Amino acid sequence: MSESFRILVLPGDGIGPEVMEQAVRVLKQIETYAGVKFELEYALAGGCAIDAHGTPLLDETMERARASHAVLFGSVGGPKWEGLGFDLRPEIAILRLRKELNLFANLRPATLFDPLIEASTLKPEVIGGLDLMIVRECAGGLYFGEPRGIETTASGKRGYNTETYSTEEIERVGRVAFTLARGRRNEVCSVEKANVTESGLVWREVMTALHAREFADVKLRHMYADNCAMQLVRAPKQFDVIVTGNMFGDILSDLASMLTGSLGMLPSATIGATQAERFNPAVYEPIHGSAPDIAGKGLANPMAQILSLGMMLRLSLGMPKEAALVEQACIDALAAGARTPDLGGTLNTTQVGDAVIAHLERITAVPA
Ligand code: NAD
Ligand code: IPM
Ligand code: MN
């Protein structure tokens, strides 16, 4: 009997369903080629779930996520739901999945594919050969710290949030970053604002101690987040692995995506402690959002979603060969000119999907 994997598919809102459709086509192609079975279950998440069920993520969907081998997530949100309170917004769907599945490390690889060297707004010599990994803590920090809220004051309102990081939270994401670096160029750059925040200071101290205790073979340096933003544009190839907190990781990864040509190119894997176990429902999600400005127009680049499924094959399903084939098919399609407008191309979302499938068929074909 062939191996079978349960995948929960949450396309979400805006361009989410458009790019997910292409990723699922690629997944079906891999299923045929690899002789495995993907049992795809679909559910609503985000604004569409609010419209249908009055909540961004049903408890039942959360349970289905827990019971799956991996979750493939699209994107959520949009102007329609912007007026809702923070406990009811579409974005809660992805935050809840990360938090409740204990997924604390969001891996965001910014790799420049050779065919796109001219597509970036940066000079070829600055980005050629770029291969950097951002490890973003994603279950703590400013996103989840208490107290938070909005209060009424004599002159208006006061909104407040709290950034907190504990030794345990920093060590567990630090271990992910150092371990990844060992399989790469062996360098970690830890990014915070230790010059102005207590949480940043603790982050730096804990990273320094963890490094000395468990990872002295890896090169570690520290950098303030503002300088890091500048260095990413000035000389991005100086970085191998960047490890940082939730908010800085969110911002720096959108910035890094443009080094690779487009926000529509950056995939991600959101992993946690459960990775060590056989049963590991990690979440695979492009870093971009629901792009309301282009939704429904066929303009969305499906590469980030397709590459996210590549990460799923590699990290959750033990299929590195198939993951590499998906990546190669994307690179070959880009080299052949299959590009959406964000990359300067003229193809629509489905046509780019067609091209990736065609190249996948070609490279997986048994020679006659
Ligand atoms: P966005 O990432 O949706 O879009 C930013 C810009 O990049 C837009 O001009 C958009 O057209 C473009 N873009 C994004 N993805 C693209 C793709 N695949 N192909 C081509 N162009 C692409 O960010 P935003 O506009 O700030 O946010 C829109 C909504 O998405 C908000 O509700 C936000 O909260 C949500 N959001 C969700 C996620 C997620 O679900 N993981 C991530 C980020 C933002
Ligand atoms: C991302 C998104 C999310 C985040 C939002 C939608 C909650 O911007 O995945 O980068 O801020 O983490
Ligand atoms: Mn983001």
Side-chain angles (χ1 to χ4, degrees):
M1 215 178 72
S2 68
E3 210 167 353
S4 175
F5 297 108
R6 271 191 311 283
I7 317 286
L8 179 64
V9 183
L10 304 173
D13 308 314
I15 63 167
E18 300 172 38
V19 293
M20 187 65 85
E21 190 183 332
Q22 303 312 316
V24 168
R25 289 176 68 201
V26 172
L27 199 57
K28 297 230 163 69
Q29 182 75 23
I30 290 292
E31 186 172 45
T32 313
Y33 163 74
V36 294
K37 178 96 188 83
F38 296 123
E39 292 169 38
L40 303 186
E41 271 193 72
Y42 284 80
L44 299 176
C48 56
I50 294 173
D51 290 350
H53 308 301
T55 175
L57 197 75
L58 285 173
D59 291 345
E60 180 199 315
T61 309
M62 199 59 233
E63 284 317 306
R64 285 161 77 184
R66 269 186 232 288
S68 59
H69 288 91
V71 178
L72 204 49
F73 192 90
S75 52
V76 293
K80 184 177 176 192
W81 305 282
E82 263 166 24
L84 297 171
F86 277 108
D87 48 342
L88 248 193
R89 291 207 179 186
E91 289 79 359
I92 290 292
I94 186 62
L95 296 179
R96 187 172 173 205
L97 281 164
R98 291 173 187 162
K99 189 77 177 173
E100 292 188 22
L101 294 173
N102 205 19
L103 307 174
F104 55 82
N106 185 203
L107 315 186
R108 300 188 153 189
T111 313
L112 179 84
F113 293 149
D114 287 341
L116 292 184
I117 193 143
E118 299 291 343
S120 171
T121 45
L122 272 81
K123 294 194 181 90
E125 61 269 29
V126 174
I127 50 163
L130 177 80
D131 173 18
L132 92 89
M133 175 67 84
I134 297 181
V135 179
R136 168 195 182 194
E137 198 291 328
C138 67
L142 199 55
Y143 277 55
F144 295 100
E146 296 285 346
R148 61 182 295 167
I150 300 177
E151 60 188 27
T152 308
T153 65
S155 56
K157 288 181 177 180
R158 190 175 78 94
Y160 55 97
N161 294 85
T162 307
E163 159 120 339
T164 76
Y165 271 120
S166 66
T167 301
E168 189 209 353
E169 287 176 299
I170 300 163
E171 284 185 345
R172 64 184 187 176
V173 73
R175 285 195 183 95
V176 170
F178 285 122
T179 306
L180 274 173
R182 277 181 176 153
R184 299 170 47 98
R185 299 197 300 283
N186 216 31
E187 287 181 26
V188 169
C189 180
S190 171
V191 172
E192 26 58 8
K193 284 283 285 181
N195 49 346
V196 286
T197 65
E198 281 78 2
S199 60
L201 188 60
V202 171
W203 181 284
R204 186 174 288 216
E205 285 172 4
V206 172
M207 281 294 174
T208 304
L210 176 69
H211 173 250
R213 213 173 50 238
E214 298 178 27
F215 297 98
D217 55 302
V218 181
K219 191 170 158 224
L220 170 68
R221 66 185 171 136
H222 305 275
M223 193 178 278
Y224 298 135
D226 46 354
N227 182 25
C228 182
M230 184 277 282
Q231 296 293 344
L232 272 170
V233 178
R234 189 189 71 86
K237 283 187 274 183
Q238 69 183 281
F239 297 106
D240 179 17
V241 175
I242 290 176
V243 62
T244 189
N246 209 344
M247 183 62 95
F248 292 143
D250 181 42
I251 297 166
L252 295 175
S253 55
D254 263 37
L255 190 157
S257 75
M258 269 319 291
L259 308 171
T260 72
S262 167
L263 181 56
M265 289 302 301
L266 228 79
S268 88
T270 311
I271 65 168
T274 51
Q275 283 308 105
E277 297 157 21
R278 196 185 67 82
F279 210 60
N280 53 347
V283 175
Y284 296 87
E285 40 171 326
I287 81 155
H288 64 70
S290 56
D293 54 336
I294 58 165
K297 298 181 179 161
L299 298 174
N301 185 348
M303 289 285 178
Q305 188 76 63
I306 295 171
L307 293 165
S308 297
L309 106 76
M311 293 185 86
M312 176 183 86
L313 294 171
R314 178 175 283 114
L315 298 177
S316 276
L317 307 188
M319 299 173 71
K321 185 174 139 220
E322 289 76 9
L325 287 167
V326 169
E327 281 152 15
Q328 193 57 51
C330 288
I331 295 170
D332 291 351
L334 290 165
R339 300 171 193 194
T340 40
D342 54 305
L343 292 170
T346 53
L347 297 196
N348 65 33
T349 310
T350 310
Q351 288 168 327
V352 170
D354 291 344
V356 174
I357 305 254
H359 284 279
L360 196 54
E361 275 172 354
R362 184 178 55 77
I363 59 183
T364 55
V366 183

